[in-house]
């Protein structure tokens, strides 16, 4: 199997102070494979997903490296071609279902618009496909949901709609950015299972951003641990849970309550470990600057 | 049932507003010094003449009697007789209203087009020099009031480059086949584009003067609201689907961003109609505002009252239309 997505040596900076927010990030994902990205808040997990999907905030600029999607280097493409390629082959499952649907449009066009406008399907075909997908995400009365406005649906329903919309065009790559953090605990498990089932059935490559190592163990084959925009550890999921090699990863694993025991208390990550990993990132930065 | 109730409540508040306006204007213009009869008669008229005319117009009665007489007339559709023009008030007012409505609507259209284009351009090129230039233009548009814009336009397009007419509503030499007072609409409907064009050339400068400050407000608010909307998740999500920046702005952001602007346009449009009073005067445009100034100068109490009531009615109708449009465009309200 060849890698569907390859990110090579990617660095991005804040336009203002030229601080790097992504520090020479490299990874690749095969078709049907799920890569988990974990790390504390602000580590740059979302930034990687946004870079792949071409939606980095205007304050952030890619200064180095490549993102190769389906054999094409996004950085060297014309913006219009890049948009089309991303729209046709990749999709995003966003974090917050309450804000990710347009409040003034019905659900149907929000699922079908990519098919019709970007991929040139007929409206009728797109509608059939949307109904099919709403069935796949276990929505009972898809006809009614398609005619609804977002505010008429619950958070869990909206996330199902967004998942249906993400898988509508048979994407080869899905970026899921904390797709369950905004949901009720009871709904979280269902949605997670749903995403995993769809991913497996469609053999989709997936980048799965999360805080939760318990979730990683259920959904991902590999994972990367980020600190300060830098990968500090890349490992297969079994290897990682058998014993992470990096001290920061070990601390992170120790700090995570067991997925099965939500009441277990959080152990804060040891200050010394944080200092060590911060120093490591700073040293790598120094080296990188020197090399340029 | 709910809808019926809402409509009844609405009609009740509208009536209260109108009656309030009627009471206020009736008493205020009678407290202000100035005697309409004295304005009508030549200097040196006899005491008898003055007394006779005063009685004729009912001005010898007490304020409350006068108000009662006027109000009972109003409920019968009789707004009294203009003192200075010696004709029934309502036909006079209704004869002038269409000219003002056409001017105000034309101004509104110009303001929405200019403001909308500037806002969209500003968002399309946000955080660039283009946006800065638009901000500067908005600032200038806002800080100069409509009547000063009128003078600037008169100098520019009436005097230096005389391409537009600076006075009146239509060239006096033209034969007018109109049966309504809505000249612009009627000339268009009759396909008399010669007349239509002449009307527009007269209307352009007063309308633009009224439109510029409103355009600046629309541009500023809509741009701000669009910029905020552009950061929202559903807009970002639509980018990942492969849509262009233009499509994202126009079909994802705009429908939501324009809602707050719409409410503001409603309020500002009533201010714009207020502005027609001076603007019509400056351009000798034969509308209601121009008539209002004459009525005030002549202390023509019945005419002032009639004009104010019509303006007040207009304002309440505009508010109603804005609220209805808002509800129609906002799915959350449509289903509530
Ligand atoms: N619009 C922006 N402008 C400037 N800096 C930003 C912007 N968005 C994010 N950043 C910075 O980029 C870094 C990475 O942010 P990112 O959103 O990827 O974090 P994250 O790992 O997804 O965190 P979280 O778990 O909180 O979502 C952070 O240091 C953040 O401060
Ligand atoms: Mg994030």
């Amino acid at each position: 199997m060849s890698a569907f997505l390859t990110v090579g040596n990617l660095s991005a900076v804040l336009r203002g102070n030229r601080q790097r927010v992504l520090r020479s990030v490299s990874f690749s994902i095969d078709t049907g494979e799920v890569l988990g990205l974990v790390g504390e808040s602000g580590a740059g997990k979302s930034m990687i997903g946004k870079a792949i999907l071409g939606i980095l905030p205007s304050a952030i600029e890619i200064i180095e490296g490549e993102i190769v999607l389906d054999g094409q280097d996004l950085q060297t493409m014309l913006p219009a071609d890049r948009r089309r390629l991303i729209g046709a082959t990749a999709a995003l499952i966003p974090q917050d279902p309450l804000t990710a649907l347009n409040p003034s449009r019905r659900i149907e066009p929000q699922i079908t618009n990519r098919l019709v406008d970007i991929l040139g399907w007929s409206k009728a075909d797109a509608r059939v496909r949307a109904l099919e997908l709403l069935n796949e995400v276990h929505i009972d009365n898809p006809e009614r949901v398609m005619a609804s406005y977002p505010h008429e649906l619950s958070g869990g329903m909206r996330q199902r709609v967004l998942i249906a919309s993400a898988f509508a065009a048979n994407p080869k790559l899905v970026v899921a950015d904390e797709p369950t953090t905004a949901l009720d605990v009871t709904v979280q498990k269902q949605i997670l299972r749903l995403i995993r089932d769809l991913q497996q059935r469609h053999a989709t490559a997936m980048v799965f951003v999360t805080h939760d190592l318990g979730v990683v163990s259920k959904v991902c084959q590999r994972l990367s641990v980020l600190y300060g925009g830098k990968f500090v550890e890349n490992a297969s999921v079994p290897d990682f849970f058998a014993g992470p090699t990096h001290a920061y990863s070990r601390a992170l694993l120790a700090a995570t309550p067991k997925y099965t025991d939500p009441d277990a208390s959080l152990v804060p990550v040891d200050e010394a470990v944080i200092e060590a990993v911060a120093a490591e990132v700073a040293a790598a930065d120094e080296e990188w600057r020197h090399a340029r | 049932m709910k809808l019926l109730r809402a409509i009844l409540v609405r009609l009740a508040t509208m009536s209260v507003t109108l009656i309030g306006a009627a009471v206020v204007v009736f008493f205020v213009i009678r407290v202000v010094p100035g005697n309409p009869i004295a304005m009508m008669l030549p200097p040196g008229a006899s005491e008898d003449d003055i007394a006779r005319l005063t009685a004729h117009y009912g001005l010898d009665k007490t304020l409350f009697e006068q108000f009662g007489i006027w109000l009972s007339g109003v409920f019968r559709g009789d707004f009294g007789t203009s003192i200075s023009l010696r004709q029934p008030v309502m036909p006079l007012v209704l004869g002038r209203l269409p000219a003002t409505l056409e001017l105000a609507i034309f101004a509104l259209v110009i303001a929405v087009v200019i403001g909308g284009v500037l806002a969209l351009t500003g968002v399309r090129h946000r955080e660039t020099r283009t946006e800065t230039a638009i901000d500067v233009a908005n600032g200038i548009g806002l800080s100069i009031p409509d009547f000063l814009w009128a003078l600037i336009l008169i100098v520019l397009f009436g005097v230096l480059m005389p391409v537009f007419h600076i006075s009146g509503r239509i060239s006096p030499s033209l034969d007018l086949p109109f049966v309504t007072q809505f000249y612009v609409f009627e000339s268009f409907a009759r396909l008399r584009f010669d007349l239509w064009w002449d009307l527009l050339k007269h209307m352009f400068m007063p309308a633009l003067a009224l439109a510029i400050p409103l355009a600046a407000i629309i541009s500023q608010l809509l741009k701000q609201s669009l910029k905020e909307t552009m950061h929202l998740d559903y807009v970002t999500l639509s980018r990942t689907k492969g849509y262009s920046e233009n499509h994202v702005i126009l079909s994802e952001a705009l429908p939501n961003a324009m809602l707050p602007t719409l409410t503001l346009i409603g309020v500002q449009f009533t201010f714009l109609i207020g502005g027609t009073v001076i603007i019509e005067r400056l351009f000798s445009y034969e509308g209601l505002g121009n008539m209002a100034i004459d009525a005030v100068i002549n202390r023509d109490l019945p005419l002032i009252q009639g004009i104010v009531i019509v303006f007040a009615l207009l304002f309440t109708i505009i508010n109603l239309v804005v609220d209805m449009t808002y509800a129609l465009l906002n799915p959350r309200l449509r289903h509530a």
Side-chain angles (χ1 to χ4, degrees), chain B residues 189-228:
Chain B
R190 286 168 181 261
L191 308 179
R192 287 292 306 273
F193 295 115
D194 54 329
L195 296 179
W196 188 70
W197 184 238
D198 187 76
L199 284 159
L200 287 197
K201 273 166 80 177
H202 280 87
M203 226 157 89
F204 183 74
M205 282 202 287
L208 188 60
L210 288 166
I212 290 173
L214 180 55
I217 295 174
I218 293 176
S219 159
Q220 199 161 27
L221 188 85
L222 184 60
K223 178 160 73 69
Q224 196 50 42
S225 164
L226 274 168
K227 280 175 76 175
E228 281 160 21

Side-chain angles (χ1 to χ4, degrees), chain B residues 36 61 70 96 114 141 160 184 252 255 260 309 318 322 336:
Chain B
K61 302 206 170 59
W70 179 67
R96 284 293 188 95
I114 296 179
L160 294 179
V184 176
E252 295 289 335
I309 294 293
I318 290 168
V322 169

Side-chain angles (χ1 to χ4, degrees), chain B residues 8 114 134 241:
Chain B
L8 285 178
I114 296 179
I134 288 172
K241 293 179 177 177

Side-chain angles (χ1 to χ4, degrees), chain A residues 45-46 93-96 159 176-182 209-211:
Chain A
K45 307 182 293 292
S46 299
I93 301 176
Q95 174 170 0
D96 187 353
Q159 193 60 304
D177 190 349
E178 308 200 38
T180 59
T181 22
V209 172
T210 180
H211 280 111

Side-chain angles (χ1 to χ4, degrees), chain A residues 185-200:
Chain A
V185 187
T186 46
V187 193
Q188 282 187 359
K189 279 190 187 173
Q190 300 168 8
I191 295 291
L192 209 58
R193 195 172 310 127
L194 192 61
I195 293 175
R196 200 192 49 197
D197 289 353
L198 278 163
Q199 180 271 327
Q200 285 176 353

